[in-house]
Amino acid sequence: MARSMWKGAISFGLVHIPVEMYPAVSDKGLDLHMLDRRDFSPIGFKRYNKNTGKEVGWDDIIKGYEYSDGDWVVLSDEDLRRANPEATQTIDILAFVDASEVPLIYYDQPYYLAPGKGGDKVYALLRDTLKKVGKIGIANVVIRVKQHLAALHCVGNTIVMNTLRYADEIRDSTELKIPGKTAKTSVSDKELKMAMALVEGMSEDWEPEQYHDTYREDVMAMIEKKVKAKQTKTITMPDPDEKPAKATNVIDLVSLLQASLGKKPGKKASVDEDEDDDEPPPPKRARKPSEEEEDEESTPRRKTAAASREAVAAKAAPKRTAAKKPAAKAAAKSTATKGATAKSPARRKKAA
């Protein structure tokens, strides 16, 4: 864990909770440097005196506010602290509100708050209270030289402080061309149901570990490729023949939704596709019996035709042959039965 960037206390009514603040996020962006394209040397910047042009070291740099053109008032770190000692050392809780009442657009930067020396019990009291009431604390806090509005909420057993944007920092969206409910932008019930089905098919549990910066990985792979190919000094230029794709207006929204439903990502989509693949093919039409088969007795003929239909649907020639044999036996048995019936009267006459 990084070193604490701020030490102070949470003011909760008459209760003071000593805490230390730590950064909750880290930047994983690409660390690109500026180079001189003539010899690929890195570009550097110098802190210099604008009057003399000479470089200035960190020990000689102080802060100041320009109160008029060319006139400055010097402000040291102690001056900034004395302006409001309590504000610079306290996270002052002003109110408690439902988290759903604060739109996501107001959230800015998260910080972890850990209990300071001797503050474990009161820290746990505030944490458990926030969990029990299901609310977040709205507070004021000064970080460096700016006062922030902040929201205190719990993530597991840790109290997290998110700095919030002030209302006057949120830009008005009324100047944008946002479509309203008009005849031109009206959505049919069919389109809405298909869009809802697409959302349902793409819905899954929140698993943040499965998401990562794939673009950064692609750039790093390209860097490794250029290093292996010994093209580290090659400047790739755009292809003059390559034209940007033209934007097209959406004409048939239903067809696009249908296509999206057919190839929607996610776990449910793969299950649906597997189910579709398991559907059996439609059975083919049975072969028409020949004239010789029609001369046979009706009952064996129906059995033979039924067996033939099942064999054709299974698409297996050996099974079709096997299906004919029982029919032939049945026909032979029927013929034998007829012969035995015809001989019976002759035996009776002889007996008489």
Side-chain angles (χ1 to χ4, degrees):
M1 177 62 71
R3 294 176 58 186
S4 63
M5 56 180 296
W6 182 91
K7 292 183 180 181
I10 299 174
S11 176
F12 174 35
L14 298 178
V15 178
H16 276 63
I17 306 170
V19 291
E20 298 179 3
M21 186 168 64
Y22 298 85
V25 295
S26 59
D27 186 11
K28 300 294 184 181
L30 287 169
D31 189 13
L32 300 179
H33 298 269
M34 290 186 290
L35 305 176
D36 188 335
R37 67 179 299 156
R38 296 170 297 182
D39 61 356
F40 305 106
S41 298
I43 304 297
F45 296 91
K46 293 182 178 180
R47 296 172 298 275
Y48 66 96
N49 186 308
K50 291 186 177 181
N51 291 330
T52 64
K54 294 182 179 180
E55 188 174 355
V56 181
W58 279 112
D59 293 338
D60 295 323
I61 296 177
I62 57 175
K63 297 174 183 177
Y65 179 81
E66 188 177 16
Y67 63 93
S68 63
D69 190 18
D71 294 323
W72 306 82
V73 56
V74 175
L75 293 173
S76 65
D77 291 339
E78 183 60 20
D79 288 328
L80 296 173
R81 188 190 69 81
R82 290 183 180 183
N84 190 334
E86 185 178 353
T88 57
Q89 298 175 354
T90 306
I91 301 172
D92 186 18
I93 297 179
L94 307 174
F96 293 93
V97 301
D98 292 331
S100 59
E101 294 182 3
V102 183
L104 294 178
I105 195 172
Y106 280 86
Y107 284 83
D108 188 12
Q109 185 77 10
Y111 298 92
Y112 289 134
L113 297 180
K117 187 176 180 180
D120 290 357
K121 186 171 183 179
V122 282
Y123 180 94
L125 173 63
L126 176 60
R127 178 193 63 202
D128 296 345
T129 303
L130 290 174
K131 288 183 177 181
K132 192 73 174 178
V133 300
K135 295 180 180 292
I136 61 175
I138 303 299
N140 279 332
V141 60
V142 174
I143 302 175
R144 296 185 178 91
V145 294
K146 181 180 178 182
Q147 186 180 55
H148 298 267
L149 194 64
L152 272 63
H153 59 96
C154 296
V155 177
N157 290 327
T158 306
I159 297 177
V160 175
M161 183 187 74
N162 263 93
T163 57
L164 301 176
R165 299 178 179 93
Y166 289 105
D168 58 1
E169 294 178 325
I170 306 297
R171 294 187 176 183
D172 192 357
S173 63
T174 55
E175 299 178 359
L176 304 177
K177 295 180 180 179
I178 305 299
K181 291 185 178 181
T182 62
K184 185 179 180 180
T185 59
S186 62
V187 179
S188 66
D189 291 340
K190 182 179 181 181
E191 292 169 339
L192 184 59
K193 289 180 179 178
M194 293 182 69
M196 292 173 64
L198 179 59
V199 171
E200 181 64 25
M202 296 177 64
S203 298
E204 58 185 32
D205 294 334
W206 167 242
E207 298 177 0
E209 295 80 10
Q210 67 175 321
Y211 304 103
H212 50 94
D213 188 351
T214 58
Y215 177 72
R216 182 179 184 273
E217 295 172 357
D218 294 338
V219 174
M220 293 305 299
M222 184 182 64
I223 291 172
E224 294 178 4
K225 183 179 178 181
K226 295 189 72 172
V227 171
K228 289 181 179 180
K230 296 181 179 180
Q231 298 177 346
T232 56
K233 301 296 189 295
T234 302
I235 301 176
T236 306
M237 301 302 293
D239 188 353
D241 297 332
E242 185 178 357
K243 296 181 180 179
K246 295 182 179 179
T248 57
N249 294 327
V250 177
I251 299 175
D252 191 352
L253 186 57
V254 173
S255 63
L256 291 177
L257 289 170
Q258 287 175 338
S260 300
L261 287 170
K263 58 178 181 180
K264 58 181 179 289
K267 299 176 183 177
K268 293 186 178 181
S270 60
V271 173
D272 294 341
E273 290 173 0
D274 292 341
E275 291 177 353
D276 293 341
D277 293 340
D278 292 339
E279 291 184 2
K284 293 185 178 180
R285 185 174 296 175
R287 176 178 58 84
K288 185 177 181 181
S290 62
E291 294 181 358
E292 295 179 358
E293 291 173 337
E294 289 179 353
D295 293 337
E296 295 180 0
E297 201 170 278
S298 59
T299 302
R301 183 183 63 194
R302 291 193 190 98
K303 291 182 179 180
T304 304
S308 178
R309 280 196 297 270
E310 293 174 0
V312 171
K315 298 181 181 179
K319 291 184 180 180
R320 187 164 57 243
T321 305
K324 289 182 179 179
K325 289 182 179 180
K329 289 180 180 180
K333 186 176 180 181
S334 177
T335 305
T337 304
K338 288 181 180 179
T341 306
K343 290 179 181 179
S344 296
R347 287 180 187 154
R348 289 196 200 98
K349 289 178 182 180
K350 188 175 181 181

